[in-house]
Amino acid sequence: MKKLIVILILFAAVILVLTLPLAPETSDTERVIVDHTLGVVVHPVCFEEAGLTNYIDEVSYSNAMENYEYEILGECSEERLQTGRTSILSKIFD
C-alpha cells in the first residue's frame, strides 16, 4: 500500500513538472539579428522580409533584450520571440 502511494505521488510530481509553466518561451541563448541603424531585433527565419540595413549583427536573444533594448520587428519575429513562460511538455513538442 505504501509503495502505491509513493508511486502515485511521484507520478503526480512528474505530471506537474511537465505541465507547469517553468521554461522560458524563448531561450536566452537563441541567436537573433539586430539592426543597429533601425534599432530592431529580427528572428533569423524572418530576415528576408524584414528589410534591414547593412549595419546588422548576430547576438543572443538575452543580449539583444538586455543590452540593446531594441524593439522586435514584425509579426513573424514577434511570434517566434515571445516573452513569458511555457510548460516543458510544450517545449518538447514544438
Side-chain angles (χ1 to χ4, degrees), residues 26-53:
T26 302
S27 172
D28 289 341
T29 59
E30 184 165 350
R31 305 304 288 176
V32 294
I33 299 167
V34 293
D35 186 329
H36 297 290
T37 303
L38 301 175
V40 295
V41 177
V42 176
H43 191 273
V45 173
C46 311
F47 176 75
E48 292 295 326
E49 65 189 47
L52 302 177
T53 65

